[in-house]
């Protein structure tokens, strides 16, 4: 029964703490991921501003500079001069990127009304726009477009930042949070089982003592009850002269049962913390004499030598609970006899 109770309490503790832990982890993860995306976006915008400022001040753009900028800033660059792409090659990767660039330019024109040629006709200042784009293959990108007017031409710049690194960082962080939660739940489970076991130990000990108490009470009450029942049975068959003897025996055992019940109730009250004490000034010599007179006939009947020794002079008063003291000494003397 206690093992089942311990298991239920442990699972309850684990469920409650796990819910709190998961909720806190989820909140912390959302805050952290939001911060990571914000930092990534701010970094990309800074790179865009730096690149546009550089291209505005340069009369020529070299392929080496473009390659270095892509590698350093983790971006892809697509540059048009008067509508003609620069740095174009025929590799498969470049063709795939060119298809992506065309989709991005189409999206910018349709959704954000940003077109290289139209912007050039409208304004002679640097203009730009940015947005987030998800391709058909579920890949996400930060996208920025800029128009830089030159003396007799214009540059159209498309800057693309793949979010693969950010996705990997987010996934790594999620796995790390998951691992930490699993480890925390493992330690919480160990703690919950140990804690609940320690918690129910007093209850288990109380039930064990209760069983022992009931067993002891049953044993003590069984003996006088057996005598009473046998005496009643014998009275039904005995003649009137012998009935008085059986009645006296039944009365004695009944009184004994009454004392046992009183003792058991006293023990039960003491164990439950409800023990009451009535303090008064008691003459100990008088108390002992009363006990002696009560048990001396029983001791003489059993052939047991029973004496009391008291000082001839002096007063022996004590502040105590007379009833409890008598009860305690009665139990000791009764057990001895």
């Amino acid at each position: 029964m206690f093992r089942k109770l311990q298991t239920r309490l442990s699972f309850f503790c684990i469920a409650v703490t796990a819910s709190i832990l998961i909720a806190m982890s989820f909140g912390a993860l959302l805050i952290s991921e939001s911060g990571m995306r914000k930092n990534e976006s701010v970094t990309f915008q800074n790179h865009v501003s730096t690149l546009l400022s550089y291209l505005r001040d340069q009369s020529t753009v070299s392929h080496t500079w473009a390659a270095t900028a892509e590698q350093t800033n983790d971006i892809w660059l697509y540059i048009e001069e008067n509508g003609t792409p620069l740095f174009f090659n025929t590799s498969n990767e470049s063709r795939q990127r060119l298809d992506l660039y065309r989709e991005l330019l189409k999206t910018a024109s349709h959704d954000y009304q940003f077109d290289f040629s139209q912007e050039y006709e409208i304004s002679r200042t640097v203009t730009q726009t940015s947005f987030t784009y998800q391709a058909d293959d579920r890949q996400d990108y930060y996208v920025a477009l800029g128009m830089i007017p030159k003396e007799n031409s214009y540059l159209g710049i498309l800057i693309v930042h793949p979010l693969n690194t950010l996705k990997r960082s987010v996934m790594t962080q999620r796995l790390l949070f998951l691992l930490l939660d699993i480890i925390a739940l493992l330690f919480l489970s160990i703690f919950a089982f140990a804690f609940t076991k320690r918690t129910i130990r007093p209850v288990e000990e109380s039930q064990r003592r209760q069983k022992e108490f009931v067993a002891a009470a049953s044993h003590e009450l069984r003996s006088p009850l057996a005598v009473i029942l046998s005496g009643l049975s014998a009275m039904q068959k005995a003649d009137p002269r012998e009935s008085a003897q059986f009645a006296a025996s039944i009365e004695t055992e009944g009184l004994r049962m009454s004392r046992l019940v009183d003792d058991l109730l006293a023990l039960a009250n003491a164990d439950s913390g409800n023990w009451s004490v009535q303090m008064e000034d008691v003459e100990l010599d008088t108390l002992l004499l009363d006990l002696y007179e009560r048990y001396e006939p029983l001791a003489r009947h059993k052939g047991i030598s029973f004496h009391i020794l008291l000082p001839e002079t002096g007063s022996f008063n004590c502040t105590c609970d007379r009833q409890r003291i008598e009860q305690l000494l009665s139990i000791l003397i009764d057990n001895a006899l």
Side-chain angles (χ1 to χ4, degrees):
M1 180 184 72
F2 286 102
R3 175 60 64 87
K4 189 175 182 180
L5 176 61
Q6 179 188 357
T7 303
R8 288 184 176 181
L9 287 176
S10 299
F11 279 115
F12 177 75
C13 293
I14 294 171
V16 172
T17 52
S19 300
I20 297 174
L21 177 63
I22 292 173
M24 294 180 64
S25 298
F26 184 73
L29 194 60
L30 287 179
I31 295 173
S32 178
E33 289 183 7
S34 176
M36 292 172 65
R37 289 189 172 89
K38 184 177 180 180
N39 290 337
E40 193 79 6
S41 177
V42 170
T43 302
F44 174 69
Q45 293 298 331
N46 290 336
H47 289 162
V48 170
S49 298
T50 302
L51 291 172
L52 292 180
S53 297
Y54 176 84
L55 291 173
R56 181 186 58 189
D57 299 333
Q58 299 298 315
S59 57
T60 60
V61 181
S62 67
H63 186 278
T64 302
W65 173 87
T68 303
E70 286 186 342
Q71 184 177 4
T72 302
N73 301 317
D74 189 22
I75 59 174
W76 299 339
L77 278 175
Y78 173 77
I79 303 176
E80 288 185 359
E81 185 176 8
N82 294 333
T84 302
L86 301 180
F87 318 127
F88 177 72
N89 60 60
T90 57
S91 65
N92 290 333
E93 182 179 358
S94 295
R95 288 182 176 180
Q96 292 174 359
R97 288 189 183 182
L98 185 59
D99 292 337
L100 175 63
Y101 297 156
R102 288 171 179 168
E103 288 294 328
L104 294 175
L105 291 173
K106 187 185 298 183
T107 301
S109 177
H110 183 270
D111 296 341
Y112 300 94
Q113 290 75 47
F114 192 98
D115 185 84
F116 284 162
S117 58
Q118 291 178 359
E119 291 291 338
Y120 177 69
E121 293 173 356
I122 294 172
S123 175
R124 295 295 297 174
T125 60
V126 176
T127 57
Q128 69 179 85
T129 188
S130 60
F131 56 89
T132 303
Y133 179 79
Q134 186 177 71
D136 295 336
D137 58 357
R138 310 292 295 178
Q139 293 295 324
D140 295 324
Y141 303 92
Y142 284 154
V143 182
L145 295 95
M147 284 291 299
I148 301 178
K150 296 294 184 178
E151 185 176 351
N152 296 317
S153 63
Y154 72 91
L155 290 179
I157 300 96
L158 172 64
I159 305 173
V160 182
H161 173 55
L163 297 180
N164 297 334
T165 303
L166 177 62
K167 276 191 172 183
R168 285 194 296 269
S169 299
V170 169
M171 187 58 64
T172 301
Q173 182 175 257
R174 289 178 179 178
L175 292 176
L176 179 61
F177 267 74
L178 178 61
L179 179 62
L180 291 176
D181 284 346
I182 292 175
I183 295 175
L185 287 176
L186 178 62
F187 281 102
L188 282 172
S189 300
I190 297 173
F191 171 76
F193 276 97
F195 178 75
T196 53
K197 183 177 181 181
R198 186 179 184 87
T199 301
I200 66 175
R201 188 178 298 165
V203 181
E204 188 175 4
E205 177 66 17
S206 177
Q207 188 185 56
R208 184 188 65 79
R209 294 176 61 186
Q210 183 180 11
K211 289 180 178 179
E212 293 178 353
F213 181 83
V214 172
S218 301
H219 176 75
E220 291 295 329
L221 293 174
R222 187 181 299 114
S223 177
L225 185 59
V227 173
I228 291 174
L229 293 176
S230 62
L232 289 174
S233 178
M235 284 181 64
Q236 296 175 355
K237 302 177 182 179
D239 55 45
R241 290 175 298 177
E242 296 177 344
S243 297
Q245 181 180 355
F246 291 118
S249 177
I250 291 173
E251 182 181 5
T252 301
E253 294 301 325
L255 293 175
R256 181 186 174 191
M257 283 190 67
S258 177
R259 289 197 305 271
L260 287 173
V261 171
D262 291 339
D263 292 341
L264 293 175
L265 289 175
L267 288 174
N269 290 330
D271 191 56
S272 62
N274 295 327
W275 187 278
S276 61
V277 178
Q278 302 295 330
M279 305 298 289
E280 59 179 316
D281 191 27
V282 178
E283 295 181 355
L284 296 182
D285 51 354
T286 303
L287 184 147
L288 293 176
L289 283 172
D290 291 341
L291 286 171
Y292 174 77
E293 293 175 355
R294 188 183 309 166
Y295 283 97
E296 194 276 334
L298 180 60
R300 186 174 65 253
H301 176 73
K302 291 188 174 184
I304 297 174
S305 178
F306 186 51
H307 302 281
I308 181 171
L309 300 177
L310 295 175
E312 296 180 357
T313 59
S315 175
F316 304 97
N317 294 347
C318 178
T319 302
C320 61
D321 188 324
R322 179 185 180 91
Q323 182 179 358
R324 299 301 184 193
I325 295 296
E326 284 186 350
Q327 188 177 29
L328 176 60
L329 294 177
S330 298
I331 293 172
L332 294 174
I333 296 172
D334 185 69
N335 288 340
L337 295 177

